[in-house]
Amino acid sequence: MRVTNKMLTNTFLRDMQTNLKNMQTIQMQRTTGKKYSRPSDDPGKVTQIMQVYTDETANKQYNTNISNAISWTKGTDTSLGQAGNVLTRIQELLVSAGNAAYGTQERKSIKDEINQKISEFAQDLNSTYDGKYIFGGTKNDVKPLTTIANGAASIGAVTNLNSLGGAGTVGGTFTGTVDTTYQVKITGLDSAGKLTNMQYSTDGGNTWSTDVAAGGDIGNGLTFNVATSTTNKTGDVLTFTATAKNDNKNTKLIYYSGSDTNPELTTPPSGTATTGYNEFNQIANKMQIEVSQGVTVQYNVSANDVLRFKSSNGTTLDLRDVFSKIVNHLDGKSDDGSTTDSTSASKLVGDDLQNVKDSINSLLSIRSAVGAKQNAMESAENKNTNEYDNMEELLSKIEDVDITEVTMQYATLQTIYQASLQTSAKVLQPSLMDYLR
Amino acid sequence: MSGLFGIFNVGTRGLITQQTAINVTSHNVANGSTEGYSKQRATIQTTTPYGSPSMNSGVPVGQLGTGSEVSVVQRVRDEFLDYKIRKETSISSQYDARNEVLSEAENVFNETSETGISTSLGKFWSAWQDLATTGNDNAKTTVLENTSILANALNQGYDKLQDIKSNTQASIKNMVFEINSKLNEVDNLNKQIISVKVAGLEPNDLMDKRDNLLDTLSSKFNITIDKKQFYGLDVKPGDVPSGLTTPNLVAAAPNDVVSRFSYINGEIKATTASDGTVTIPLSYYEKGDTASANTQKTINIKFNIGSGYSSLTTEQKKSVDDIIQSKVREIDENRVLWADKDGLALAGADGATIDLGSVDFSGGFSSGVTSLNSTMSDLNSKLKMFTPSSGSLKGYMSSQTDVDNYINQLDSLAKTLAFAVNAVHSGMTDVTNSSGTPDKDYMPFFVNSDVAKYKVDGTMSNLDDILAAEDNINAGNISINKEIYADKSKMKIKTHDDDYKYAADNNVDGKDTARALAIAQIKDKKINIQDISNTINSRKDLFNAGTSSFSDVNDMYLTNTSKGLTIDTYFKDTVDKVGSQVQEAKKIVEGQSTVLNQLNESKEAVSGVSLDEEMANLIQYQHAFSANAKIISTTDELLDVVINGLKK
């Protein structure tokens, strides 16, 4: 075959291009540390890399989810521990209340402490994590539990200073905020002794109101009237004491009460139409997270789970009722506090103590369930981390370059490149003309 | 009997011969690096010897030579190599063009980077997971931002692919123009060559030039060359539609009719009138020349599918439509028409209508389809599209099909995403549900940005249109609902949100996030994405029998379908396909370039100029020249003896 100058040049140029291209590839691999930069470099491997990246992103997300849930269950555990301490203290107090030597005064101080403990219990269950109430279910933006002072406004007996006069009657509900002693003075009577006008004072008779008609409004939501009697005389004064609501009364635990317009959520509803049904359901709701592909775990304990428990004889009880009974019994009253009950002291060490014990047991079993969940989460986290490491390893195997190998390749290529330049420089230069004169 | 003057003449001839040879050598050296130049050789032969036996003269010592002359200056060329090189060039250019277009498309799917569609998709799902876990406003913002990033990534990918397609079509247009002007040049050279040859000379350099042009042409499409007398050539494409009477692009005979190509521009669309008449108007530039408005001509395609069409089922109508659409797509991707030498389409005069008659569906669906198919192939023979089987024209045409496929796959991805997320977001398997509560999807998550309009306060102003346009969501117009983007509290992420028109109406669920979790879980759900644009064209179709459904009473959690793919897997398959096609093109380009290099090497070995060889020749001719001069000067001396020496 003839060999012409152009052939030599072309061959040199082509081979140099090939060398440079190879060097570029190796250089790219060296500088990025990755074997592939475009899908066409190796479609199979590149999609495999994509798959691993996708899995890693998901895995990282699952890890975040799990850590979140672990912190949440830790918070739950702490709060439940504190709530358990409260219940144990109540149990101790109840045992001591059974002491036969204890009188009313001792019981009162026990009751005061128990009232405190009930508030504390509510606070424990109102703990938050990341701005959310742990026991609030999906209604976690407001406290799931709250306490109110449980005492209705009441009106004392009316005393007529003129013992012969007609009896006074008080109507309406007292809305005042402090206990008030009312004095009502008759200022007008008709011939039959029927009340026509009266005045009232709330400061012990220092100042009197203007005339009010019989049965008229005497302030703070109350009305007053005096029975018709011929013995009524103007200037007669009748007194009574109105006791304000919430004053020095027992603490009552209730579910969330958002505002005055929202009804108190006192009972778990039975039908769908019950007031507060939605709110209650939200508190009782379970929350789920995904911890690995397709595996969801529900991780929260709701206030409802804690409050409702099965007693040792199999009935479902509510801690709110149990607390309410205990304080009523300590007052020496019946279960609902309406009447005096002579057996209340014995109930304290009987049913009440048993109920508190049962609730402690129930709380413990919830705590152990939470602990188990936390363990499960931690092992899920371990698994998750292991998976991540495996994926990183796989990814590294697929896409990372072996620096040593690539460096060696680069060195070889450099030698070849230099050799090709040198050879070509020698071969291309001379021609016959160099030797012609 | 030759005399001294005879010798003198021999010397003179020798001088002229060597001078001519040196001339050829210098021409070779001068063109040592000229592209397509073939080395030339002066063929030296002896002139007719003196003295042949005849009636009145004997031949005393045999014939006496009368010197040399250059009989012909010929180029050295192997035409079989030319044939092979052109064939391989066509194939090589085809894959070069494919590689060029597809590599550009591959950039859209550059998925090893951190910014690709699959990364955006991953972040989108993660954001929903985060929202399901924390339920707070920051997480909602993250979801919305990631959604809009994902939608933008899809939009950009779609736009880029469309750009690539229109750039490719522009390349075809320029190529048509270039081919036509190259053909004219070949035609001119053809004529010159013939006239030179007729005059008895060798048109070496003109033929080199013509061969060069033919090489260039063969890179555009595969050509066939017929040799005619006086070095004339007939050139025609390797692929000629049947029934075409004037396939020659260049003809040796001066009066033969030749053809050219014209380029169809603009959008190509089939419209069906109410009476079933389908029209496809085509407007084309004569010879691809867009410089003047006069060169723009039109031609129309018309046929009727009216009879019996209305009684077809929706699915059958769709497959009829698909057949017509695929034809439109074929024209759209090809765009090159056979034309006469002035560029007027061979299919008919300006404004002419190609009437293909009517297709009758009244005899049943299958017979109608058979007749439609034959009508479509009838169209092929009547419209006379230029469909080369290799060359860069073919490369550009075929890569458009692939780019169209990539666009379709992005579209399917966008549609699946929109249908599935909207369905879970609203808990509704259709955009409307006349018998249920709510009666329609009042807050779709993904919307069609071509249709969606918003009021000044950011709320949607044409909800019903938006819902109707959900079927037309594609990668180019998928967008997050701006109303949700403006007010994140409108996201439906709670369990019972499916029972209410708006999330704000839900007074049941509080801070629940179960629906967000359900959306996050779409990531791993197997959905029949492969049927999108086939049997699945709307959210409703996605939930048809045998496809996806909800597994719970609150219409949140999607079920897996038996033959479905996850959205991620589907996208990976797409990337795999793009990568493989680019890889194939690259490999073939590499392989072809090796083959071509070898062929060019062989050609160079035959036709190339070797300076050493030329130098050696030069010296040889130089010495021969000197020797001839010596003969003349010697003859001069002899003559001097005769003229001046004999008689003093």
Side-chain angles (χ1 to χ4, degrees):
Chain A
M1 190 168 96
R2 270 178 88 230
V3 176
T4 66
N5 299 65
K6 212 172 161 194
M7 282 164 75
L8 288 176
T9 324
N10 282 347
T11 312
F12 165 64
L13 286 175
R14 203 169 51 237
D15 291 346
M16 195 184 61
Q17 274 303 317
T18 314
N19 282 336
L20 285 175
K21 210 184 279 171
N22 289 342
M23 280 170 78
Q24 189 199 21
T25 311
I26 295 281
Q27 196 189 15
M28 197 274 298
Q29 290 185 350
R30 264 162 62 105
T31 49
T32 61
K34 307 263 184 273
K35 279 187 206 158
Y36 313 107
S37 63
R38 302 171 63 91
S40 56
D41 290 344
D42 188 336
K45 285 278 170 13
V46 170
T47 46
Q48 201 181 352
I49 292 168
M50 277 171 70
Q51 177 68 53
V52 180
Y53 271 125
T54 315
D55 290 350
E56 273 193 0
T57 315
N59 185 280
K60 276 185 207 157
Q61 185 59 47
Y62 292 139
N63 195 290
T64 318
N65 290 358
I66 294 172
S67 327
N68 234 322
I70 288 179
S71 310
W72 183 283
T73 46
K74 276 183 184 160
T76 310
D77 189 55
T78 314
S79 305
L80 286 176
Q82 285 163 350
N85 291 344
V86 170
L87 288 178
T88 314
R89 178 61 190 154
I90 291 177
Q91 186 189 12
E92 282 167 24
L93 288 170
L94 283 182
V95 170
S96 62
N99 189 332
Y102 275 23
T104 328
Q105 204 51 45
E106 283 85 358
R107 293 236 172 80
K108 169 110 178 38
S109 60
I110 288 175
K111 190 194 79 172
D112 287 347
E113 188 174 348
I114 288 187
N115 277 333
Q116 284 304 314
K117 286 293 162 193
I118 294 172
S119 299
E120 203 181 317
F121 186 80
Q123 278 169 22
D124 289 339
L125 292 197
N126 282 343
S127 57
T128 60
Y129 168 73
D130 192 20
K132 292 188 283 192
Y133 291 96
I134 294 179
F135 296 94
T138 57
K139 194 167 187 60
N140 49 37
D141 51 343
V142 287
K143 294 178 183 175
L145 292 177
T146 187
T147 52
I148 52 169
N150 179 33
S154 65
I155 309 293
V158 184
T159 326
N160 192 343
L161 298 183
N162 171 11
S163 56
L164 298 172
T169 49
V170 186
T173 307
F174 184 62
T175 56
T177 50
V178 289
D179 295 357
T180 310
T181 304
Y182 272 92
Q183 293 189 331
V184 179
K185 186 163 70 178
I186 298 173
T187 53
L189 288 167
D190 67 1
S191 55
K194 184 178 180 219
L195 181 73
T196 54
N197 278 318
M198 60 185 180
Q199 290 180 346
Y200 62 92
S201 164
T202 54
D203 56 359
N206 288 333
T207 55
W208 292 90
S209 70
T210 51
D211 278 358
V212 181
D217 183 7
I218 57 167
N220 287 331
L222 298 179
T223 59
F224 195 78
N225 208 346
V226 182
T228 305
S229 163
T230 49
T231 53
N232 282 343
K233 296 197 296 287
T234 53
D236 278 356
V237 174
L238 297 92
T239 66
F240 68 91
T241 304
T243 311
K245 184 180 174 182
N246 303 348
D247 183 36
N248 195 24
K249 291 292 173 180
N250 292 333
T251 305
K252 189 168 165 66
L253 185 65
I254 58 166
Y255 281 121
Y256 145 82
S257 164
S259 68
D260 284 348
T261 50
N262 271 2
E264 279 179 6
L265 200 57
T266 48
T267 33
S270 50
T272 49
T274 322
T275 319
Y277 171 80
N278 290 339
E279 283 80 0
F280 178 80
N281 269 353
Q282 286 165 23
I283 291 175
N285 252 341
K286 299 296 175 201
M287 298 199 294
Q288 293 188 327
I289 51 152
E290 196 167 336
V291 293
S292 67
Q293 191 176 327
V295 181
T296 49
V297 170
Q298 55 125 305
Y299 59 100
N300 69 322
V301 174
S302 74
N304 185 43
D305 295 337
V306 180
L307 292 191
R308 311 248 293 168
F309 65 95
K310 272 228 155 61
S311 73
S312 49
N313 58 22
T315 51
T316 303
L317 290 176
D318 192 318
L319 259 183
R320 293 175 303 159
D321 296 336
V322 171
F323 286 155
S324 152
K325 277 181 193 166
I326 290 172
V327 287
N328 283 332
H329 292 160
L330 283 168
D331 275 344
K333 293 197 172 152
S334 63
D335 287 358
D336 59 0
S338 57
T339 51
T340 341
D341 183 356
S342 57
T343 61
S344 59
S346 66
K347 282 180 181 165
L348 279 176
V349 288
D351 281 354
D352 288 345
L353 187 56
Q354 186 56 46
N355 288 345
V356 171
K357 277 181 182 163
D358 289 345
S359 74
I360 290 175
N361 283 339
S362 148
L363 196 71
L364 281 177
S365 74
I366 294 177
R367 251 188 106 177
S368 60
V370 169
K373 203 161 279 174
Q374 191 178 327
N375 281 342
M377 292 286 186
E378 272 160 6
S379 75
E381 191 179 31
N382 269 337
K383 184 162 161 278
N384 180 286
T385 323
N386 281 340
E387 274 173 7
Y388 188 80
D389 292 346
N390 288 342
M391 282 189 267
E392 280 286 272
E393 198 183 319
L394 179 64
L395 195 59
S396 171
K397 264 185 197 155
I398 305 171
E399 71 164 0
D400 286 356
V401 292
D402 181 341
I403 292 293
T404 324
E405 189 187 326
V406 170
T407 312
M408 286 311 294
Q409 284 175 351
Y410 192 72
T412 318
L413 279 178
Q414 247 178 343
T415 317
I416 295 172
Y417 182 57
Q418 280 172 357
S420 85
L421 285 180
Q422 276 175 4
T423 317
S424 304
K426 291 257 159 61
V427 173
L428 287 178
Q429 240 175 12
S431 84
L432 186 57
M433 276 170 293
D434 296 335
Y435 306 100
L436 294 177
R437 313 253 290 72
Chain B
M1 173 73 200
S2 75
L4 278 175
F5 286 114
I7 302 171
F8 207 83
N9 271 335
V10 170
T12 317
R13 279 204 190 98
L15 274 184
I16 294 169
T17 305
Q18 300 313 323
Q19 209 179 329
T20 313
I22 288 173
N23 197 340
V24 171
T25 304
S26 70
H27 187 56
N28 280 342
V29 172
N31 286 296
S33 52
T34 305
E35 187 64 38
Y37 178 79
S38 330
K39 127 186 125 161
Q40 295 175 10
R41 279 286 163 263
T43 311
I44 299 171
Q45 65 177 23
T46 53
T47 45
T48 319
Y50 174 73
S52 51
S54 65
M55 293 280 284
N56 57 356
S57 71
V59 181
V61 282
Q63 284 184 308
L64 271 180
T66 54
S68 66
E69 64 174 358
V70 172
S71 66
V72 67
V73 177
Q74 206 148 25
R75 61 177 192 154
V76 182
R77 192 147 177 132
D78 181 346
E79 277 170 359
F80 180 60
L81 274 177
D82 279 344
Y83 166 76
K84 280 203 285 191
I85 284 175
R86 284 178 195 145
K87 188 161 171 268
E88 298 302 334
T89 306
S90 292
I91 297 171
S92 163
S93 312
Q94 176 189 346
Y95 285 94
D96 242 351
R98 271 181 72 78
N99 185 24
E100 177 196 325
V101 177
L102 296 184
S103 301
E104 217 179 314
E106 189 190 10
N107 289 336
V108 176
F109 296 93
N110 198 1
E111 289 304 332
T112 49
S113 71
E114 295 277 310
T115 52
I117 292 174
S118 95
T119 315
S120 310
L121 205 53
K123 285 188 178 154
F124 173 74
W125 300 126
S126 281
W128 279 105
Q129 281 277 2
D130 249 345
L131 177 56
T133 322
T134 63
N136 60 30
D137 277 358
N138 293 342
K140 281 188 183 173
T141 311
T142 317
V143 167
L144 296 178
E145 289 307 328
N146 278 314
T147 309
S148 106
I149 289 171
L150 172 63
N152 281 342
L154 285 170
N155 294 163
Q156 279 171 11
Y158 180 90
D159 290 349
K160 262 195 219 159
L161 289 175
Q162 292 288 6
D163 274 356
I164 290 169
K165 219 187 133 188
S166 57
N167 288 344
T168 311
Q169 288 176 352
S171 300
I172 293 181
K173 188 193 74 192
N174 294 339
M175 200 169 280
V176 167
F177 186 74
E178 192 188 336
I179 288 171
N180 285 325
S181 46
K182 286 258 159 30
L183 285 173
N184 288 344
E185 283 180 56
V186 174
D187 192 36
N188 280 337
L189 284 169
N190 216 16
K191 289 196 174 90
Q192 288 179 32
I193 287 167
I194 293 170
S195 60
V196 171
K197 183 63 187 173
V198 166
L201 300 173
E202 282 295 313
N204 291 326
D205 296 329
L206 293 175
M207 281 164 70
D208 278 351
K209 228 183 227 176
R210 187 176 63 181
D211 280 331
N212 238 359
L213 280 171
L214 290 173
D215 286 350
T216 318
L217 271 180
S218 71
S219 75
K220 316 288 183 204
F221 59 94
N222 48 331
I223 55 175
T224 312
I225 293 165
D226 287 336
K227 285 193 186 169
K228 301 288 175 183
Q229 58 178 351
F230 301 122
Y231 293 161
L233 292 182
D234 278 358
V235 180
K236 63 181 180 192
D239 304 275
V240 177
S242 61
L244 193 74
T245 49
T246 55
N248 281 346
L249 303 172
V250 174
N255 294 325
D256 274 8
V257 180
V258 292
S259 297
R260 290 291 181 265
F261 300 117
S262 288
Y263 173 79
I264 304 174
N265 67 306
E267 196 188 358
I268 299 164
K269 219 165 71 179
T271 46
T272 314
S274 54
D275 65 343
T277 305
V278 182
T279 44
I280 310 174
L282 302 175
S283 118
Y284 63 93
Y285 284 114
E286 285 182 330
K287 297 202 260 186
D289 180 7
T290 52
S292 103
N294 297 334
T295 57
Q296 187 157 18
K297 299 282 151 67
T298 57
I299 198 153
N300 295 299
I301 301 163
K302 192 181 94 178
F303 57 95
N304 191 291
I305 53 168
S307 65
Y309 178 74
S310 57
S311 55
L312 297 180
T313 66
T314 320
E315 248 172 53
Q316 289 170 335
K317 277 181 184 163
K318 176 137 198 341
S319 49
V320 168
D321 200 43
D322 281 348
I323 295 174
I324 298 171
Q325 283 313 318
S326 73
K327 192 76 212 172
V328 169
R329 218 174 96 166
E330 197 184 307
I331 300 174
D332 177 50
E333 284 160 2
N334 184 299
R335 288 186 177 257
V336 184
L337 279 179
W338 279 87
D340 68 9
K341 67 177 185 350
D342 299 318
L344 192 65
L346 292 184
D350 182 24
T353 300
I354 303 174
D355 194 343
L356 301 167
S358 49
V359 180
D360 193 354
F361 283 99
S362 53
F365 172 67
S366 56
S367 72
V369 166
T370 315
S371 122
L372 180 62
N373 279 331
S374 73
T375 305
M376 289 295 114
S377 40
D378 193 25
L379 171 60
N380 272 359
S381 62
K382 283 188 172 152
L383 185 59
K384 302 198 190 337
M385 306 283 308
F386 177 49
T387 48
S389 57
S390 58
S392 47
L393 257 187
K394 165 75 176 176
Y396 284 134
M397 287 168 181
S398 69
S399 53
Q400 279 185 78
T401 316
D402 296 312
V403 174
D404 269 338
N405 282 337
Y406 305 157
I407 294 176
N408 282 345
Q409 283 175 331
L410 271 194
D411 283 350
S412 296
L413 181 82
K415 274 188 206 292
T416 313
L417 196 64
F419 294 162
V421 172
N422 281 0
V424 176
H425 186 251
S426 62
M428 295 181 68
T429 57
D430 193 3
V431 288
T432 56
N433 178 15
S434 52
S435 58
T437 319
D439 57 338
K440 57 187 163 196
D441 185 353
Y442 280 84
M443 194 58 61
F445 190 75
F446 282 113
V447 297
N448 182 336
S449 63
D450 293 345
V451 174
K453 290 195 180 66
Y454 303 93
K455 294 184 201 151
V456 181
D457 64 357
T459 57
M460 292 177 285
S461 64
N462 54 346
L463 178 64
D464 288 333
D465 295 344
I466 291 173
L467 292 180
E470 189 178 291
D471 300 354
N472 299 328
I473 286 182
N474 62 27
N477 61 26
I478 189 171
S479 141
I480 187 172
N481 184 346
K482 295 262 165 49
E483 181 169 345
I484 295 180
Y485 191 72
D487 181 357
K488 49 185 173 275
S489 70
K490 290 180 175 167
M491 290 169 82
K492 294 184 169 177
I493 59 167
K494 301 195 282 277
T495 309
H496 293 96
D497 277 347
D498 62 320
D499 297 334
Y500 301 90
K501 287 182 181 176
Y502 302 105
D505 299 342
N506 181 350
N507 55 2
V508 181
D509 285 327
K511 292 274 163 184
D512 181 32
T513 55
R515 198 167 285 278
L517 181 61
I519 293 178
Q521 286 182 340
I522 297 175
K523 168 175 175 284
D524 297 316
K525 296 296 178 202
K526 294 194 168 71
I527 303 171
N528 289 2
I529 309 183
Q530 67 276 20
D531 292 338
I532 291 269
S533 300
N534 236 339
T535 55
I536 299 179
N537 290 293
S538 65
R539 197 199 296 187
K540 190 172 168 229
D541 295 342
L542 192 66
F543 290 89
N544 267 343
T547 48
S548 302
S549 60
F550 287 124
S551 62
D552 61 325
V553 290
N554 292 316
D555 295 340
M556 288 201 293
Y557 297 104
L558 283 183
T559 55
N560 283 320
T561 63
S562 54
K563 56 167 188 164
L565 297 169
T566 66
I567 292 179
D568 284 332
T569 317
Y570 182 76
F571 186 66
K572 269 190 279 293
D573 287 353
T574 307
V575 175
D576 195 11
K577 200 168 181 183
V578 176
S580 308
Q581 284 181 333
V582 177
Q583 199 186 30
E584 183 210 13
K586 267 188 198 161
K587 289 239 162 93
I588 295 182
V589 168
E590 273 169 32
Q592 277 304 112
S593 82
T594 316
V595 174
L596 265 180
N597 280 336
Q598 280 169 2
L599 288 172
N600 276 324
E601 200 96 296
S602 313
K603 181 176 156 187
E604 192 61 29
V606 175
S607 307
V609 176
S610 163
L611 289 180
D612 296 344
E613 184 184 318
E614 298 304 326
M615 284 306 115
N617 283 342
L618 182 65
I619 292 165
Q620 185 194 334
Y621 297 141
Q622 189 187 355
H623 284 299
F625 187 87
S626 308
N628 277 305
K630 197 86 189 168
I631 299 277
I632 290 173
S633 75
T634 309
T635 318
D636 177 43
E637 278 170 30
L638 291 178
L639 280 173
D640 185 48
V641 171
V642 173
I643 294 165
N644 296 325
L646 288 184
K647 181 174 179 288
K648 295 246 161 106

